[in-house]
Amino acid sequence: MASFLFLSVLFSFLRFTSSIPSIGITYSSTVSPPPPPFPAKVSSLISTLKITSVRLPDPDPSLIKAFAPTNTSLFLSISNSHLPALASNGSVALSWLRRHVLPFYPRSKISIISVGNTVLDSTTIQDFSPFLLPATRNLHHALQELGINKIQISATFSFFSTITTAFPPSSAVFQQPAGDLIIKPLLQFLEQTNSSFLINIYPYNLFRLNSEIPIGFALFQDNLFNFRDDPVTGIRYFNLFAMMADAVLTAMAAMGYQNIPVVVAETGWPSGGSQAEEVEANGVYAEMYLKGLVRHLKSGAATPLKKDGVAEVYVYELMDHGGGNNERGRKWGILTENMTMKYNVEFSSGAKNSGICLVAIWLTNWQLITSMNLILGFIGVQG
């Protein structure tokens, strides 16, 4: 009996770690469709880098097929220009799925489909926001019609066109009128379908907009004054990414949807800027940001407000595009356009969950000592 009680006490010292957010990468092709050898080359490269999740903003079927032999999870996006057709006709949603999902799933492990990307951004030429909700619902119904129930349907937003403020995070709410007209009904849909809220978080952009933010705070640096205290919650923030993520969680909670997982669809730091004054867009800072981000996520504390609040994070992006003339005019890639590695960053997040599962049994004194040695040895390895 004493042996059993001692083991029960020992259980309380065993450390169980919560799920670590998976770290993925965005791959955006500059040519559609990509030339025949390229999809397989990209798939093999990503596997070599031990990256287990990939976001495809331009999901050509040849790319989706190339990931079938791998264990890579795929996050597909549908461009904004497709939203009016998807919203008006359910058969269009079925046609899209028959081209991009049905021939490859489940061998190609498609986990999320984003209907549109940052549709609320004021810089877009056309307003696609009225089509977002009906397009999302039509795609979900089309999946159900095809008997596919394990692919999440959501939509991706930009932090700057969605959230009112990053500091203090406790004051953040969704911008209006889009908050009530679009985001709230979408959150209701996400809760009903067990899907995630997708948002782009770029500390680089917020740093450039606010001269009071120290560069070390944006780059995950452990300097003496690199922290900010939320005056309402008392939470101390040591990096800008966590602060912005908590602002998103707070805005969701204010609408009553605090339990929906958050996926950071894009984040990163450019190694080259589109303007001469972007001196902080350099390779040294980009590597510091990526290393800090990975270290922060692997620590298991994605945000101070809610440790499991961020489920996945996708780095933008895999490769630079020729001359740096991508859609943002900056070089965001972890690889050059020639597919050579720019940074020494280990993206693999390891096992999703760790811990020890023990079966309580009656033990003799010798068995108890032996078991304790094994357990304590295991804890030493884990620590």
Side-chain angles (χ1 to χ4, degrees), residues 73-94:
S73 173
L74 298 182
F75 172 160
L76 310 183
S77 290
I78 301 176
S79 65
N80 294 343
S81 60
H82 286 85
L83 297 192
L86 285 170
S88 63
N89 196 333
S91 64
V92 176
L94 279 169

Side-chain angles (χ1 to χ4, degrees), residues 157-176:
F157 297 92
S158 165
F159 183 93
F160 296 97
S161 61
T162 309
I163 307 298
T164 55
T165 184
F167 187 80
S170 58
S171 298
V173 293
F174 286 111
Q175 295 180 26
Q176 297 297 342

Side-chain angles (χ1 to χ4, degrees), residues 192-248:
Q192 291 171 345
T193 59
N194 295 316
S195 298
S196 303
F197 184 73
L198 315 177
I199 192 159
N200 300 340
I201 293 181
Y202 281 102
Y204 173 77
N205 292 337
L206 185 56
F207 166 78
R208 293 196 68 234
L209 291 172
N210 190 335
S211 59
E212 295 182 358
I213 298 175
I215 184 65
F217 188 65
L219 294 175
F220 298 91
Q221 297 304 293
D222 296 327
N223 298 334
L224 183 61
F225 299 107
N226 281 345
F227 66 86
R228 293 290 184 273
D229 292 332
D230 189 314
V232 176
T233 63
I235 293 175
R236 175 160 290 185
Y237 292 90
F238 294 96
N239 63 78
L240 190 53
F241 176 88
M243 180 183 290
M244 295 172 74
D246 268 0
V248 175

